[in-house]
Structure formats: C-alpha cells, structure tokens
Amino acid sequence: MNLLKNILLAPVLKQGYKRNLVSGPEVINLEKKSCIGYSITTSLKRNRKKKEIPPFFHDIYDNNKLNSLWEQNEQNMYCIFDMHPNSQNFDYYIATDKKAMHHSMKYAEITLPKGKYVRVELMKRNHSAVSNIMMYLRAIWLEANGYKAANSPAFILYDERFHSNYKQHGCIDGNYPGKPIASFFIPLEDEKTISA
C-alpha cells in the first residue's frame, strides 16, 4: 500500500497541495484555547460536507453572527473540525475566542487543546482548497516527517488577511477571488512516531 501511495497518490495530492500553499508546513506549539460560536454535524459520507458547510459558513459570515461574541477590534475566526469516532461524521464549528462573559445555550463551545500542531498558510480559493491541503498533510507529509495526527480537532484560522480580502472581492460562485489567506492547523501527537 505504501508503494502504491507513494507512486500514484502522492503526486496527485502534492499538486493540489502546492497550488494552494502560501507557506509552511511548520510545527509549532499552541496554548489551550476555548472557543464559542455555532456548530453543525455533518459527514464525509456522500460528500455531505461539501453541500452543508458552505451555506452554513456563509450564513454565519455574511450575517455577522460572530460580531456579538467579538470584543472591539477582534477578528480571529476559527473553523474547527471535530471528528467523531467513526472517522466519517464530524462537528464543524465557526467560532471565536471565548470570553468569560459569554455563556448561553444558543452558542456551541469547544476547546482546542494545548500541544504541537502543524501549520500551513494557504490560499482559501474555495472550500476544496482546505481539503487538498488536509489530504496531502494527512496522507503524505505527516508520515514522511515522522508525525502522527492527534485525536483532537483540526482548525482553520481566518484573520484580517482573509476578512479584508472578502470585503474587497466577496465570494463568486463558491470561489474567493484575490488573495484569501488563511492558516490551517492539524494537531500532532506529542512524540515523533519515527526517529529522524
């Protein structure tokens, strides 16, 4: 299987990965982060995520639903992927940093654990751009660099770079023109799985 993956799959995944890559990958340490926002449950089965995530994303984003959770001048937005044990279904959150004052049943909460993450910056040209990055990192890069993904949520961080681009160019037929930069993070197990 490894030979098949390296000969057939790796070049295809690498092409999609490189097309959307801005910088990275780099391994960094992050502190624990509590987040609050909105969530849906979706699935990789029958490509439900492709049908359900974009409308959910744009409902939250275009209707400024995080504004009441942001403090003045705050603009970090997290799109979080929390996989279920069956590796098919997952909870998808659109959230921001949780402040002590925000406690309400209408919001969903999740904690991103402290630890090592691999981070890449990407052009979020469309919703498939993240899938291409994620597939390459999980299927090829982690193993090739001696890492294993931890069993905790992966996430995308949208900051002022994405927001200002969106204000200028918007979204056209599911695509983000201009330079829609975002950062993608995959959690890693603490120890490298193979020696360097």
Side-chain angles (χ1 to χ4, degrees):
M1 180 63 184
N2 272 346
L3 182 63
L4 183 65
K5 181 169 76 171
N6 290 333
I7 293 173
L8 298 178
L9 185 60
V12 173
L13 291 177
K14 193 169 191 175
Q15 183 180 10
Y17 166 80
K18 283 190 162 187
R19 182 174 45 245
N20 299 303
L21 187 68
V22 174
S23 69
E26 66 175 327
V27 175
I28 61 168
N29 288 301
L30 293 179
E31 292 301 315
K32 181 172 89 167
K33 183 170 293 296
S34 296
C35 298
I36 187 167
Y38 302 87
S39 72
I40 59 169
T41 298
T42 187
S43 181
L44 301 174
K45 293 176 188 173
R46 295 182 299 283
N47 214 7
R48 273 182 50 199
K49 67 179 178 60
K50 189 173 183 179
K51 297 174 198 160
E52 295 173 354
I53 289 178
F56 177 68
F57 179 93
H58 284 286
D59 176 51
I60 302 300
Y61 197 88
D62 295 339
N63 293 306
N64 302 312
K65 291 186 175 181
L66 288 182
N67 283 4
S68 62
L69 298 173
W70 276 329
E71 291 192 343
Q72 189 175 12
N73 298 322
E74 184 180 15
Q75 293 201 343
N76 284 347
M77 181 176 90
Y78 304 90
C79 289
I80 303 166
F81 307 85
D82 189 18
M83 297 302 295
H84 293 188
N86 67 8
S87 299
Q88 293 291 312
N89 300 339
F90 63 98
D91 297 322
Y92 176 78
Y93 294 78
I94 298 177
T96 188
D97 295 298
K98 182 183 174 194
K99 308 297 186 246
M101 68 185 101
H102 295 305
H103 290 284
S104 170
M105 294 298 288
K106 76 176 189 175
Y107 298 117
E109 297 183 28
I110 187 169
T111 299
L112 299 171
K114 174 181 179 175
K116 286 190 186 329
Y117 289 77
V118 59
R119 174 181 66 189
V120 298
E121 291 192 332
L122 67 136
M123 284 292 175
K124 172 71 184 295
R125 299 185 198 286
N126 50 46
H127 292 282
S128 297
V130 174
S131 296
N132 291 334
I133 295 277
M134 185 184 299
M135 284 191 297
Y136 179 78
L137 290 174
R138 286 188 176 273
I140 308 296
W141 189 90
L142 290 178
E143 183 180 327
N145 289 276
Y147 292 102
K148 185 175 179 185
N151 187 22
S152 54
F155 67 95
I156 306 166
L157 170 62
Y158 297 96
D159 58 23
E160 175 55 30
R161 296 171 299 173
F162 182 85
H163 301 315
S164 61
N165 187 81
Y166 191 87
K167 286 174 191 167
Q168 182 178 358
H169 300 286
C171 180
I172 302 168
D173 296 326
N175 294 298
Y176 302 98
K179 293 185 177 179
I181 297 174
S183 300
F184 178 63
F185 298 77
I186 293 178
L188 302 174
E189 290 191 351
D190 277 342
E191 299 297 320
K192 289 185 88 168
T193 56
I194 53 178
S195 59

